[in-house]
Amino acid sequence: MQNRMMVTGAGSGLGREIALRWAREGWQLALSDVNEAGLAETLKMVREAGGDGFTQRCDVRDYSQLTALAQACETKLGGIDVVVNNAGVASGGFFDELSLEDWDWQIAINLMGVVKGCKAFLPLVQKSRGKIINIASMAALMQAPGMSNYNVAKAGVVALSESLLVELRQQEVGVHVVCPSFFQTNLMDSYRGPTPNMKAQISKLLEASPITAADIADYIYRQVAEGAFMILPHEEGRMAWKIKQQNPQAIYDEMAALAVKKRNKSKT
């Protein structure tokens, strides 16, 4: 297998760390993001880490930009072996407060951005018998209160990945979906939602997390090598998922209690 990877949202956070983890193995990286300054910085770090590659600005809402990126990968790298659909934005707010515009924005980037990334790059990974790695979230499995549009978009990424897993097995294309919990990231830079207090609450959770984006990237690297489909980098996330599979009601009760807490906090 050749060593060529494409990462969306590679200008910062988890996307950057995934690029660096594979760069340390000498991979060629196609790095994309809407943040060009961040991309330039990532490429510099990739080269220092032992990899190489190129950058291209790409908004995952625009399918033509993704197909142009796939074309560039073919021209500059001769193809692609691993596609990482990582670009995403944060969102929050109770369902009754969220506008339909909030929903459209969230679904367009966090769900349809992944659909379009898979669609644009599928011919290349079919050719290389490569892998697709979609970045979802524990929100896809746990549905915490006060972020229904984010939960739905990320749950869609899990369902898409499950669909591709079974459809592409015969073509020897590997599919993986990653569901991280909160970790130290700049995701909140893109945050959008009706209640400013909610942003503060989520920011606190992100900052308090002992696990970094680099830790998660390393965990993903190891799990992909082992062929795991559902990749849950957080110990507490793995435990919560196990409980939900055995006793979903326990999780619903806990989330309902959390909803009351969140509502009270957002009023203060």
Side-chain angles (χ1 to χ4, degrees):
M1 181 172 159
Q2 301 273 311
N3 297 338
R4 304 158 302 188
M5 172 185 258
M6 187 286 291
V7 187
T8 65
S12 63
L14 184 58
R16 171 178 284 174
E17 294 300 340
I18 289 171
L20 290 175
R21 181 64 190 85
W22 267 262
R24 292 209 293 278
E25 310 298 322
W27 280 52
Q28 296 284 311
L29 282 301
L31 306 166
S32 79
D33 203 305
V34 288
N35 168 7
E36 292 181 83
L39 273 183
E41 182 68 17
T42 301
L43 183 58
K44 188 168 157 274
M45 294 165 82
V46 155
R47 287 177 173 150
E48 284 163 6
D52 201 3
F54 71 96
T55 64
Q56 189 159 315
R57 189 186 186 283
C58 178
D59 184 335
V60 296
R61 288 174 291 188
D62 182 348
Y63 185 61
S64 67
Q65 289 184 32
L66 281 157
T67 54
L69 179 62
Q71 188 58 59
C73 289
E74 197 147 34
T75 308
K76 295 179 183 184
L77 306 178
I80 215 81
D81 303 288
V82 179
V83 169
V84 184
N85 292 301
N86 163 73
V89 288
S91 180
F94 283 100
F95 183 76
D96 52 3
E97 303 162 338
L98 288 169
S99 69
L100 289 177
E101 287 72 27
D102 290 330
W103 275 89
D104 288 342
W105 178 76
Q106 181 57 235
I107 300 287
I109 299 170
N110 281 5
L111 175 54
M112 290 311 296
V114 176
V115 170
K116 289 170 184 175
C118 290
K119 188 92 178 141
F121 278 86
L122 186 59
L124 292 183
V125 288
Q126 283 172 320
K127 205 182 285 181
S128 65
R129 293 193 174 135
K131 300 180 195 301
I132 294 169
I133 303 173
N134 292 328
I135 309 297
S137 165
M138 276 311 290
L141 308 176
M142 288 294 131
Q143 289 85 40
M147 45 200 278
S148 56
N149 57 347
Y150 186 81
N151 294 343
V152 167
K154 291 297 192 177
V157 172
V158 171
L160 169 69
S161 304
E162 289 177 333
S163 306
L164 293 175
L165 174 74
V166 296
E167 286 186 22
L168 298 176
R169 180 177 290 175
Q170 205 185 352
Q171 296 165 35
E172 294 176 51
V173 171
V175 179
H176 310 268
V177 65
V178 184
C179 296
S181 311
F182 289 112
F183 60 96
Q184 295 157 19
T185 175
N186 64 336
L187 186 66
M188 296 316 288
D189 297 353
S190 68
Y191 179 90
R192 178 164 159 175
T195 37
N197 282 13
M198 191 82 74
K199 178 172 182 174
Q201 285 179 50
I202 299 173
S203 295
K204 257 196 209 124
L205 282 169
L206 294 174
E207 283 156 24
S209 171
I211 191 166
T212 65
D215 297 331
I216 291 173
D218 187 58
Y219 188 81
I220 295 168
Y221 182 86
R222 288 180 282 124
Q223 289 282 292
V224 166
E226 285 174 25
F229 165 66
M230 175 89 74
I231 299 174
L232 309 178
H234 293 74
E235 179 62 39
E236 72 273 25
R238 295 193 285 276
M239 280 160 54
W241 179 230
K242 203 166 269 180
I243 292 166
K244 187 170 179 182
Q245 287 172 302
Q246 290 159 358
N247 182 4
Q249 195 58 50
I251 296 290
Y252 300 144
D253 293 344
E254 200 175 311
M255 290 301 177
L258 184 60
V260 174
K261 257 194 226 159
K262 269 192 176 180
R263 270 199 198 277
N264 292 339
K265 263 195 189 165
S266 63
K267 282 175 191 152
T268 53

